[in-house]
Amino acid sequence: MKTNKGCAWGERGRILTAKDFPSVVSHGSSRFSDRANPVASVGAVLEPRELLTACLSQEGTGFSPGASQVVGWPPIRAYRMNSLVNQAKSQRAEEEKEIDETDKSKDPSKKKIYTKTDTAAKEKGQLGFVKVNMDGVPIGRKVDLNAHSCYDTLAQMLEDMFFRSTTTVNSRGGEKEQATQPSKLLDSSSEFVLTYEDKEGDWMLVGDVPWGMFLTSVKRLRIMRTSEANGLGTRFQERNERQRIKPI
Amino acid sequence: MNHKRKNPDPSPDSDESTTQLSSPFPDEVLERVLSLLNSRKDRNSVSLVCKDWYDAERWSRTHVFIGNCYSVSPEILTRRFPNIRSVTLKGKPRFSDFDLVPPKWGAYVHSWLLLFATKYHFLEELRLKRMTVSDESLKFLALSFPNFKALSLLSCDGFSTDGLASITTHCKNLTELDIQENDIDDKSGKWLSCFPENFMSLEVLNFANLNSDVNFEALERLVSRCKSLKVLKVNENMTLEQLHRLLVLAPHLRELGTGSLLQELMPRQHSELKSAFNNCKNLNILSGFYEVTSIFLPVLYPACTNLTFLNLSYAALRSDELSNLLIHCPLLQRLWVQDSVEDEGLEAVGSNCPLLEELRVFPASDPFEDEILHGVTETGFLAVSYGCKKLHYVLYFCRQMTNAAVATIVQNCPDFTHFRLCIMNPRQPDYQTNEPMDEAFGAVVKTCTKLRRLAVSGLLTDLTFEYIGKYAKNLETLSVAFAGSSDWGMECVLKGCPKLRKLEIRDCPFGNAALLSSFRKYESMRSLWMSGCKVTMDGCRLLAQEMPRLNVEVIRECGNDGCQADKLYGQERMPHLLFSLFELCTNLETLSVAFAGSSDWGMECVLKGCPKLRKLEIRDCPFGNAALLSSFRKYESMRSLWMSGCKVTMDGCRLLAQEMPRLNVEVIRECGNDGCQADKLYVYRSVAGPRKDAPPFVLTL
């Protein structure tokens, strides 16, 4: 069983570390001690043992996500976090408004309307951040849906988040190598699909409904293996025919 | 109406001059004296003196604080304390504030209310933090306690504004309604209109974190009726015009939370508002603000003379705006700001607030944005420490810090009791020296002998924890994230820190060795939380076995509906017999098995038989290490083996990998579906035993 590109998952999957398999690694580590960054040794085809040592996650430098990409970090209460986000947005919008209008409106009612829009945004902002999990990745992420206005930018962002390094680990243990770089999450030809859980608790494929409608009903996202996504509902299926996900 | 305490029978030959063996005071005197005690630590000490004192204390206690709702049961509580009027209950682990605990975890208040309704019929106050409260519970509360006066909810979830309406409708004696930051279904502001027209007793009203509009006329009438109103915190939608009208009606307010200050005002309105604020001579606490304009802020200045607490954490003030405001707040003791004020703003704090005791600096902009972020640095913190010698509580979010700065800060302010530093990028070193931040926190614990609460961040090795364990003699709460190098770090903390009560850890390389190094320690602690660490199920099970009085819970959560696997354990399994048949399947190449089998034997049969077996895929069967290792040479003739949701452990996998170096043995640690990985561990002590309301994704060991 060979895998390409070393420990593409080393930063996220915590799939294997030398510490998990000490006996196997003991004679292997010296060979790789001079490798500055095992993850950077892209292109080398590694033997199984090499895979293990390459995944040495050096404590302190192994996994350094940006602050933005880890669930629950920085440690700010969700309520406050959403308020801050909306405040930043509204202040930006306010600035833009000032730039646009040379003549600042003196009508207080307009400001009030503006405030109300902000409130509406805040209500939606309660939903602004949703969690995203990807099959096989223990650490979930968060993405701010209010920062996007269409599916494409969202999918792009998620691809950047989760597929920055190529993944090839074949979880089925078979010999055949899976395709490396998954293409667009919205494209049904890739290894993964983007799904979401709606307010009723059903898992749906992302992309079928207008963006605004999606925003009002999405609770959280999941990047699911295509193989497991059979039978997922779309908004246009009859409710009666809706199937639950069957993982196999 | 107190429950009367029965006097114990006097001993046969006692009279008042020979009470050698029993208490020197009559019980009533003792109770009277003890009823003057308010501190719960004092009361706990008193109750340990002797049985008489224990009894006197329990009869005289009227307020009870329960830091972990699962540490004790309602029955045990009501049995011990018959005369409780006020209850404070805390539920979920603190990391639930940051979405680390799945919904429906527990901490339901309802079962408490049910018993309180009979045992504490005259309950007056209920303060809940991180509890799940339903609208039904709120309605039950409103209807069951005729004397109910004060409700405070912080970080709770599960309810809507309909529940609030029940309270305002039915609680005739309500004095306090304090709705802080909660996960509430904010349907409408109608709850405010449900106060009866003759209702007058309100003293505290806080709806700052509710966004729906309330009926202003109803609010105005309410405020004018409630002459004792001391605390009024309105929501963001309240206009300045409306605020003005309220202030005119209630100039005696001690605490005010404004609405958004981003409004245009006519000059007349401006001066009216300024005059209204001028009349608020009793204002100690000011909050709200939301959006502000520099033009508006001076309106507040007259009201700031007696301010002790200024909460600007929802307003992105600039440094000059803050500076000008602080000049008018000479008595300020507590200040919460956003880091939009930057280091200059904090310099102004240092210059203008000599009495400052507490400072909290929250990140202003969306921390998720890519734009260039300013915020505060070590410079601002230093400036505050030079000017505010009484500083003892700090919560500081920043993007850079140095060891030297922290060392200087604690030299300037050695009296820190709460030091919570959050360098927002995980594992970030000292930006000047590129070294870990070990020495910073070393300085904190060495210098600040009164330290009770500590939150660490930045790049930290085990050395930080060596320091903490060795020096932090009074530390009660420790929060750790993305830190440490090995088990040794956590071991140091558990072996040191004699007063440790709460330890919460996320994403650190601490494993079973650390968890089990001092398990007796957990008996003196309220709780331990570990998530994203290296603890396994076996380690957790061992802990549970060694310490039967601890509740050991493992949360198994995943992005998909991982609970499905758990729910299906109940399904019927294939009879044992069928597996034996596989021995006869001489041409079988691929076998897929799901939810079947009774023991290792089944898989062993397959491996020992089926000579042409190439692919074996198994999910959710009770096959463990014995099965896995029974015929490992077999795997050499196979393409692959997949086992998920089985009973194989990491040890078994390791053994296989050792024995068969030419095999790739991979373990996928996917949240939820891997039986070996204890992704989220929550351990706490309890006299109530394992809780009975654990959801399916919480595994109690």
Side-chain angles (χ1 to χ4, degrees):
Chain A
M1 214 174 351
K2 295 192 185 5
T3 56
N4 281 341
K5 297 195 165 71
C7 189
W9 287 69
E11 287 188 358
R12 290 187 199 82
R14 291 186 296 174
I15 227 181
L16 299 165
T17 70
K19 293 185 181 172
D20 286 331
F21 294 82
S23 59
V24 180
V25 155
S26 54
H27 31 277
S29 54
S30 57
R31 260 202 287 158
F32 300 96
S33 56
D34 54 346
R35 286 202 192 194
N37 183 358
V39 176
S41 61
V42 161
V45 172
L46 298 178
E47 291 294 328
R49 196 174 302 145
E50 291 169 314
L51 170 67
L52 300 176
T53 55
C55 294
L56 230 157
S57 74
Q58 298 148 35
E59 302 312 326
T61 61
F63 177 27
S64 297
S68 60
Q69 296 181 319
V70 181
V71 171
W73 190 264
I76 301 171
R77 236 177 232 140
Y79 181 94
R80 184 181 286 279
M81 184 80 92
N82 283 327
S83 302
L84 294 178
V85 169
N86 285 307
Q87 179 175 69
K89 282 199 195 346
S90 64
Q91 284 193 326
R92 266 205 312 283
E94 175 71 6
E95 279 154 28
E96 280 160 24
K97 225 172 129 206
E98 283 184 21
I99 292 167
D100 287 346
E101 300 166 20
T102 50
D103 213 20
K104 221 171 138 184
S105 165
K106 294 251 183 278
D107 182 355
S109 67
K110 274 219 177 118
K111 278 278 157 65
K112 227 194 338 179
I113 290 169
Y114 169 76
T115 312
K116 282 220 182 352
T117 314
D118 181 55
T119 308
K122 184 180 283 203
E123 278 161 357
K124 211 172 280 181
Q126 300 288 353
L127 210 54
F129 283 102
V130 293
K131 281 163 72 165
V132 191
N133 285 86
M134 173 165 152
D135 285 356
V137 179
I139 296 182
R141 306 296 166 129
K142 267 189 162 172
V143 65
D144 176 17
L145 291 181
N146 287 337
H148 299 275
S149 51
C150 66
Y151 289 116
D152 282 323
T153 57
L154 175 64
Q156 194 58 54
M157 171 161 209
L158 292 176
E159 282 174 31
D160 287 342
M161 257 187 194
F162 285 96
F163 297 100
R164 236 188 292 150
S165 46
T166 58
T167 74
T168 58
V169 177
N170 184 339
S171 58
R172 289 262 158 190
E175 263 177 10
K176 59 184 187 335
E177 277 154 341
Q178 300 284 321
T180 53
Q181 185 89 37
S183 54
K184 285 181 197 282
L185 286 170
L186 298 177
D187 176 354
S188 53
S189 69
S190 85
E191 188 191 341
F192 287 89
V193 292
L194 183 58
T195 65
Y196 71 100
E197 184 183 18
D198 69 7
K199 283 199 152 97
E200 277 114 16
D202 297 316
W203 287 91
M204 318 289 276
L205 288 172
V206 164
D208 283 329
V209 303
W211 174 257
M213 199 172 162
F214 167 69
L215 275 190
T216 57
S217 58
V218 62
K219 265 174 39 184
R220 53 183 171 157
L221 298 169
R222 175 181 163 202
I223 300 174
M224 197 184 289
R225 292 202 183 87
T226 313
S227 52
E228 296 194 5
N230 292 325
L232 267 194
T234 62
R235 187 61 73 176
F236 301 121
Q237 270 186 334
E238 286 294 329
R239 286 279 161 199
N240 296 337
E241 291 170 83
R242 207 172 48 224
Q243 303 170 39
R244 305 277 316 169
I245 301 171
K246 290 187 172 38
I248 276 196
Chain B
M1 195 199 309
N2 279 357
H3 294 263
K4 289 296 175 203
R5 181 181 170 200
K6 302 191 209 34
N7 283 328
D9 292 329
S11 56
D13 54 338
S14 80
D15 59 48
E16 294 202 1
S17 59
T18 60
T19 48
Q20 306 286 352
L21 298 173
S22 57
S23 165
F25 316 114
D27 298 322
E28 291 84 1
V29 172
L30 189 57
E31 268 182 56
R32 251 344 246 284
V33 169
L34 295 183
S35 66
L36 300 172
L37 277 179
N38 288 324
S39 145
R40 62 178 193 267
K41 286 201 171 102
D42 287 343
R43 281 188 162 269
N44 289 344
S45 306
V46 155
S47 67
L48 294 173
V49 169
C50 66
K51 187 154 190 325
D52 279 345
W53 283 46
Y54 176 89
D55 282 335
E57 193 280 313
R58 66 182 263 263
W59 283 92
S60 64
R61 195 185 291 219
T62 55
H63 166 70
V64 71
F65 168 89
I66 297 166
N68 174 1
C69 65
Y70 287 117
S71 65
V72 74
S73 70
E75 291 77 20
I76 295 173
L77 174 72
T78 51
R79 230 188 357 255
R80 178 171 172 188
F81 298 115
N83 286 322
I84 296 294
R85 299 295 171 93
S86 163
V87 175
T88 303
L89 257 181
K90 291 185 175 180
K92 301 183 208 168
R94 193 177 78 96
F95 278 176
S96 68
D97 283 349
F98 319 127
D99 289 339
L100 288 179
V101 175
K104 300 199 179 57
W105 178 86
Y108 303 108
V109 77
H110 203 76
S111 55
W112 294 86
L113 293 178
L114 287 176
L115 201 59
F116 289 170
T118 53
K119 303 285 186 181
Y120 295 152
H121 185 63
F122 296 102
L123 188 71
E124 294 175 2
E125 293 182 8
L126 189 62
R127 297 177 197 284
L128 304 178
K129 187 170 183 180
R130 294 190 201 101
M131 298 286 295
T132 296
V133 182
S134 66
D135 287 343
E136 288 73 39
S137 298
L138 288 173
K139 189 164 183 189
F140 182 80
L141 173 66
L143 295 172
S144 310
F145 302 96
N147 271 11
F148 193 72
K149 295 200 169 101
L151 178 66
S152 167
L153 301 173
L154 171 58
S155 274
C156 295
D157 70 322
F159 63 108
S160 77
T161 40
D162 291 345
L164 297 184
S166 305
I167 300 285
T168 54
T169 307
H170 299 291
C171 296
K172 307 270 180 271
N173 295 313
L174 199 68
T175 59
E176 176 176 339
L177 184 60
D178 182 21
I179 311 299
Q180 301 183 46
E181 294 159 344
N182 295 292
D183 185 6
I184 179 176
D185 183 6
D186 195 346
K187 294 178 179 173
S188 81
K190 290 204 199 95
W191 57 271
L192 185 98
S193 307
C194 294
F195 281 114
E197 284 300 321
N198 60 352
F199 171 79
M200 305 180 4
S201 50
L202 206 61
E203 297 172 22
V204 174
L205 179 61
N206 174 10
F207 62 99
N209 299 121
L210 296 177
N211 293 321
S212 299
D213 286 329
V214 299
N215 179 317
F216 179 72
E217 281 69 37
L219 175 62
E220 206 176 10
R221 287 197 302 276
L222 179 70
V223 170
S224 70
R225 286 198 307 271
C226 297
K227 306 288 183 205
S228 307
L229 194 68
K230 295 192 188 56
V231 175
L232 178 62
K233 297 183 186 174
V234 301
N235 63 17
E236 195 174 341
N237 308 340
M238 207 65 51
T239 67
L240 288 175
E241 179 65 40
Q242 292 169 332
L243 184 65
H244 171 246
R245 282 158 70 172
L246 294 174
L247 284 178
V248 165
L249 290 170
H252 41 269
L253 284 177
R254 277 201 289 108
E255 292 182 36
L256 173 67
T258 72
S260 168
L261 302 185
L262 184 70
Q263 280 153 49
E264 293 282 337
L265 285 180
M266 298 286 119
R268 181 186 56 85
Q269 290 171 308
H270 199 274
S271 65
E272 274 180 354
L273 199 50
K274 190 157 189 173
S275 146
F277 272 109
N278 202 21
N279 284 335
C280 294
K281 298 293 182 204
N282 297 335
L283 217 52
N284 294 134
I285 298 180
L286 198 51
S287 62
F289 296 83
Y290 306 101
E291 291 118 0
V292 295
T293 57
S294 298
I295 309 166
F296 178 80
L297 280 175
V299 164
L300 298 171
Y301 294 167
C304 295
T305 333
N306 292 319
L307 272 194
T308 55
F309 178 21
L310 183 57
N311 180 354
L312 299 167
S313 64
Y314 281 98
L317 253 61
R318 293 194 316 257
S319 54
D320 54 307
E321 290 168 335
L322 177 67
S323 183
N324 292 332
L325 180 54
L326 287 179
I327 292 170
H328 297 88
C329 310
L331 299 180
L332 208 59
Q333 293 170 13
R334 299 169 66 197
L335 177 64
W336 295 14
V337 290
Q338 290 189 7
D339 66 4
S340 55
V341 303
E342 298 186 347
D343 291 330
E344 286 101 65
L346 294 181
E347 278 162 20
V349 173
S351 310
N352 291 303
C353 305
L355 300 180
L356 197 71
E357 297 178 22
E358 173 180 330
L359 174 68
R360 300 196 195 196
V361 182
F362 296 93
S365 48
D366 173 7
F368 293 6
E369 279 192 8
D370 293 333
E371 290 171 14
I372 301 191
L373 307 159
H374 297 285
V376 294
T377 71
E378 75 279 8
T379 310
F381 200 169
L382 271 166
V384 175
S385 74
Y386 280 114
C388 308
K389 294 300 183 187
K390 292 185 161 205
L391 195 64
H392 69 85
Y393 189 122
V394 79
L395 169 62
Y396 201 79
F397 284 87
C398 58
R399 291 180 180 87
Q400 66 185 50
M401 189 50 62
T402 67
N403 287 308
V406 175
T408 309
I409 287 163
V410 294
Q411 261 184 344
N412 293 339
C413 302
D415 294 329
F416 272 113
T417 55
H418 298 68
F419 193 92
R420 303 164 64 188
L421 177 62
C422 180
I423 303 167
M424 285 195 272
N425 234 354
R427 297 205 186 89
Q428 183 172 298
D430 177 324
Y431 81 97
Q432 278 178 355
T433 65
N434 230 27
E435 282 172 3
M437 295 296 295
D438 296 334
E439 293 309 318
F441 294 104
V444 171
V445 293
K446 283 177 200 165
T447 317
C448 305
T449 52
K450 299 181 197 159
L451 195 70
R452 298 204 309 265
R453 180 170 181 185
L454 179 64
V456 298
S457 59
L459 180 65
L460 300 174
T461 71
D462 286 342
L463 183 57
T464 299
F465 303 102
E466 279 183 36
Y467 286 143
I468 294 174
K470 186 169 173 194
Y471 293 102
K473 297 294 179 205
N474 284 314
L475 191 66
E476 295 179 17
T477 304
L478 178 63
S479 308
V480 187
F482 306 106
S485 338
S486 74
D487 286 327
W488 174 240
M490 184 172 164
E491 286 179 36
C492 289
V493 171
L494 291 176
K495 290 195 160 83
C497 297
K499 293 200 182 166
L500 194 65
R501 316 257 358 264
K502 294 200 301 189
L503 180 56
E504 46 188 28
I505 302 173
R506 64 163 293 183
D507 297 284
C508 297
F510 304 139
N512 294 337
L515 177 70
L516 300 167
S517 60
S518 313
F519 43 75
R520 302 218 178 284
K521 179 79 169 188
Y522 306 129
E523 264 181 351
S524 63
M525 288 169 58
R526 184 189 294 175
S527 64
L528 165 73
W529 168 280
M530 291 178 78
S531 60
C533 297
K534 293 187 163 186
V535 175
T536 72
M537 289 297 290
D538 285 335
C540 301
R541 276 194 202 103
L542 223 82
L543 178 62
Q545 279 170 22
E546 291 297 320
M547 304 290 290
R549 279 202 311 246
L550 285 183
N551 278 8
V552 179
E553 293 183 11
V554 173
I555 295 173
R556 279 146 70 161
E557 184 207 18
C558 47
N560 53 0
D561 191 357
C563 296
Q564 219 174 7
D566 294 332
K567 287 182 212 157
L568 289 169
Y569 275 154
Q571 270 199 3
E572 225 182 36
R573 309 198 170 179
M574 265 174 72
H576 183 148
L577 180 62
L578 280 173
F579 277 98
S580 308
L581 294 179
F582 288 133
E583 294 180 277
L584 303 174
C585 292
T586 49
N587 283 321
L588 189 65
E589 291 185 23
T590 304
L591 175 63
S592 306
V593 188
F595 309 108
S598 343
S599 72
D600 286 324
W601 175 240
M603 182 172 164
E604 285 177 42
C605 290
V606 172
L607 290 175
K608 289 195 161 78
C610 298
K612 291 198 183 166
L613 194 64
R614 310 279 331 279
K615 289 203 314 187
L616 179 57
E617 34 188 49
I618 303 173
R619 66 160 288 182
D620 298 282
C621 300
F623 305 143
N625 295 337
L628 177 71
L629 300 167
S630 61
S631 314
F632 41 76
R633 302 218 177 285
K634 178 80 170 190
Y635 304 129
E636 275 180 325
S637 63
M638 287 168 59
R639 184 192 294 181
S640 65
L641 166 70
W642 165 277
M643 290 179 79
S644 65
C646 298
K647 292 188 168 188
V648 173
T649 71
M650 287 297 290
D651 280 331
C653 299
R654 271 186 212 114
L655 224 79
L656 179 63
Q658 278 172 22
E659 292 300 323
M660 304 291 292
R662 280 200 310 246
L663 284 184
N664 273 10
V665 180
E666 293 184 13
V667 175
I668 296 173
R669 295 210 207 141
E670 184 181 48
C671 27
N673 277 332
D674 186 332
C676 306
Q677 181 58 22
D679 227 21
K680 293 181 181 177
L681 168 66
Y682 187 50
V683 175
Y684 57 91
R685 61 178 182 182
S686 172
V687 297
R691 61 182 174 119
K692 300 189 174 49
D693 61 359
F697 57 80
V698 170
L699 185 62
T700 307
L701 302 181

